[in-house]
Amino acid sequence: MWASARALASLLLGLLLSSSPGTLGAHPGLVARITAKGLEYVAKEGLVALQRELHKITLPDFDGDFKIKHVGRGNYEFHSLDIRSCELLASTLTPLPGQGLSLSISDSSIQVHGRWKVRKSFLRLQGSFDLWVKGITISVNLILGSEPSGRPTVTASSCSSHIHDVEVDMPGALGWLLNLFHNQIESKLQRTLESKICEAVQKSVTSDLQPYLQTLPVTTDIDSLAGIDYSLMEPPQATAQMLDVMLKVPPTSTIRLTTKSFRPFVPRLAKRYPNMNLELQGRVASAPVLNFSPGNLSLAPQMEIEAFVLLPGSVKEPVFQLGVAANVSAMLTFNTSRITGFLKPEKILVELKESKVGVFNVELLEALLNYYLISTLYPEVNEKLAKGFPLPLLKHIQLYDPVLQIHKDFLFLGTNIQYVRV
């Protein structure tokens, strides 16, 4: 009897803690909105990651021939090309409504150092050179989605890069050789670099950005019997000025007992289904009305508990349904990584909606539930609430300057973010 009361009380409390207008139907329980300022910060951090990837570009050796008047034809070779510096100076990340994001990079440059060789019959010359690639622009469209686990996904649907100017410098007295074939050299290097830049962008999205999005947590436990689901309801939605991420946050409340544990409340259940597993499924029946006051909120959710006997062959046989009305008052606070709070104990009312197994002692169940909720479970949960529940944050993300505001029918949690490089 006490086991069933404890389990049922935990089930109800899980529903209470996660019940809100957004937990019902197709509406999100939590909307994470990234503003234009936030997208600007993301673009800035993205430049740092892309710069690292561009430094890893391996440029191929290439060669060709040239013709010098009165001398004839010769061959040249450029090899051991190494990117010495890369500066991506300006970037914008703008929403693509209905698709995802568009990343544009401009006013950027790359410096390359390498070796050259020139051969003409008996003549063999060699030396080093420096290449300055200026006016680089990169445009890439990022398509945002979601996978079955509820985590976000990203793919680069298109990428283009353009180089405005390429200059090759050969130090020393042999620099005059460059004038003989610099157009060939610069055009080949330009085509190669433009192709390699988009390869690096695609690799960065696949190898860095997509795995990073997988660090978004999709669940957190309330206790051993209930938890909160942070998984995405749908792909992130881009509008003209911002990006919205719709998170579920519904109660995940299903528990299993045995028919024997409910014998004191419904005697015929254990007789008809002796020593069989009993599954209780809880849900919020209708959107609770939220009442707000400074620093506090109260709600009166209507909940439903439906019981199923688990028959052989994974068949679920419905046996009874309960309605539960509750009043909950809570104090909430918000810091840089967690939501904390305190619940004020209130009694619940239990109503028998339907019983397919005869008489149900609702009064006894209600009395036991209230006793256990107020004397044991509420104190235990308040202890956890004092420690707080983690917010669904990507890895290495820290929040600062948090703000908690109470509005009609919703709570607003505003904050700035910072990515901590490791």
Side-chain angles (χ1 to χ4, degrees), residues 47 59 83 119 149 200 210 238 260 267 278 292 297 300 302 332 334-335 395 402 412 414:
L47 282 189
L59 295 173
I83 293 180
R119 294 186 298 274
S149 70
Q210 172 60 21
K260 181 180 178 181
L278 183 70
F292 298 101
L297 66 85
Q302 301 290 322
L332 296 178
F334 171 43
N335 61 28
K395 193 174 181 181
F412 171 80

Side-chain angles (χ1 to χ4, degrees), residues 13 251 269:
L13 194 58
L269 177 64

Side-chain angles (χ1 to χ4, degrees), residues 11 15 23-24 39 48 50 66 98 113 125 138 151 176 207 232 239 241 254 298 305 328 350-351 385 392 398 415 420:
L11 176 64
L15 292 171
T23 63
L24 304 169
L39 292 174
V48 177
L50 185 56
F66 61 91
H113 182 78
L125 300 173
I138 306 171
R151 289 183 171 88
W176 60 271
S207 303
L232 270 65
T239 61
Q241 300 294 329
T254 297
S298 63
I305 307 295
V328 181
V350 181
E351 174 191 3
L385 286 176
Q398 289 185 353
T415 182
V420 181

Side-chain angles (χ1 to χ4, degrees), residues 341-355:
F342 175 82
L343 293 180
K344 180 182 177 182
E346 299 280 354
K347 289 187 177 182
I348 63 171
L349 298 176
V350 181
E351 174 191 3
L352 179 64
K353 295 281 189 179
E354 181 184 11
S355 174

Side-chain angles (χ1 to χ4, degrees), residues 51-102:
Q51 276 190 174
R52 290 197 300 266
E53 203 62 45
L54 292 179
H55 268 289
K56 301 175 186 176
I57 288 179
T58 301
L59 295 173
D61 299 343
F62 62 93
D63 52 30
D65 54 47
F66 61 91
K67 184 177 181 180
I68 303 177
K69 191 175 181 180
H70 305 306
V71 176
R73 291 186 175 275
N75 302 98
Y76 66 85
E77 177 186 352
F78 281 68
H79 63 95
S80 304
L81 278 68
D82 177 50
I83 293 180
R84 292 290 177 88
S85 67
C86 175
E87 289 187 335
L88 304 180
L89 299 180
S91 66
T92 58
L93 189 62
T94 57
L96 287 175
Q99 298 183 57
L101 298 168
S102 175

Side-chain angles (χ1 to χ4, degrees), residues 30 33 38 53 69 83 102 116 139 186 218 226 247 263 287 317 322:
L30 176 64
R33 172 164 291 175
E53 203 62 45
K69 191 175 181 180
I83 293 180
S102 175
W116 61 268
S139 297
E186 291 171 359
V218 294
L247 304 166
R263 182 187 298 168
E317 179 75 20
L322 302 173

